[in-house]
Amino acid sequence: RTTGKNKKRNQMKNIVLFCTLFLLNNTFAQNIVGKWKCIATYSSFDNKKTNMQAALHQSRPCTKNTVFDFQSNGKIVRNYSACDAKYIETQNKFWKDQKWKLDGNNLKTSVTDFSLFNEYTITFSGNKMTWTNKDETIVYQKL
């Protein structure tokens, strides 16, 4: 027979176990699907790394508010809410067919149904997602 103290102790153990499992699941089960903000794009020129995202934000401040929606169907939708109509129209034409495909930690992006593609190694740390290849590193922050 379970006493009142043992019942409360078992309830507390169950609560602690549930919270631990919830935190572990949210820490390790990260996923590209969702809304992200690009916070850095590092490219190398003449052996010097340059943050191209910072340069873009300096020349077009509205791009700081761009949201990248990585959808479960493999599409990437960009929302340029704060930019002028002409810029949004141009970007939407250029990126309208952009897709992503993930195999383990190998990520491919393409605007040509993968006949041509960029390939990256993808990693997650906290609320950050990083894509890396020999030419660039792109860092996103989860919204």
Side-chain angles (χ1 to χ4, degrees):
R1 208 171 116 186
T2 307
T3 65
K5 277 187 176 179
N6 284 341
K7 228 180 209 181
K8 284 184 181 180
R9 199 174 293 137
N10 286 338
Q11 287 175 336
M12 284 302 292
K13 284 180 185 178
N14 287 339
I15 290 170
V16 169
L17 178 62
F18 172 79
C19 290
T20 302
L21 291 173
F22 178 79
L23 289 173
L24 285 174
N25 184 49
N26 286 334
T27 301
F28 297 111
Q30 297 188 21
N31 192 330
I32 188 173
V33 174
K35 293 183 185 336
W36 299 81
K37 183 176 183 177
C38 185
I39 58 173
T41 302
Y42 298 102
S43 296
S44 294
F45 298 105
D46 297 329
N47 294 322
K48 182 182 172 200
K49 267 191 170 181
T50 303
N51 184 347
M52 301 303 289
Q53 198 68 27
L56 175 63
H57 291 172
Q58 189 171 13
S59 66
R60 278 219 182 256
C62 70
T63 59
K64 289 180 182 177
N65 300 315
T66 302
V67 174
F68 294 77
D69 185 3
F70 294 90
Q71 299 178 344
S72 60
N73 63 1
K75 283 191 66 103
I76 302 172
V77 176
R78 296 170 184 230
N79 182 348
Y80 302 94
S81 63
C83 294
D84 62 90
K86 182 74 174 157
Y87 181 79
I88 293 170
E89 180 183 336
T90 302
Q91 294 301 310
N92 284 340
K93 282 181 186 174
F94 187 70
W95 296 107
K96 71 179 170 95
D97 295 322
Q98 190 177 27
K99 294 179 176 65
W100 64 274
K101 189 170 20 175
L102 189 61
D103 182 17
N105 68 343
N106 182 35
L107 174 75
K108 292 180 183 175
T109 63
S110 177
V111 293
T112 63
D113 272 335
F114 299 98
S115 59
L116 298 171
F117 56 87
N118 288 317
E119 192 166 13
Y120 303 91
T121 299
I122 186 172
T123 57
F124 295 92
S125 177
N127 67 341
K128 304 254 185 344
M129 169 174 66
T130 304
W131 303 1
T132 308
N133 66 20
K134 66 181 181 68
D135 299 316
E136 66 183 339
T137 299
I138 305 171
V139 182
Y140 292 91
Q141 183 173 359
K142 185 83 168 176
L143 297 179

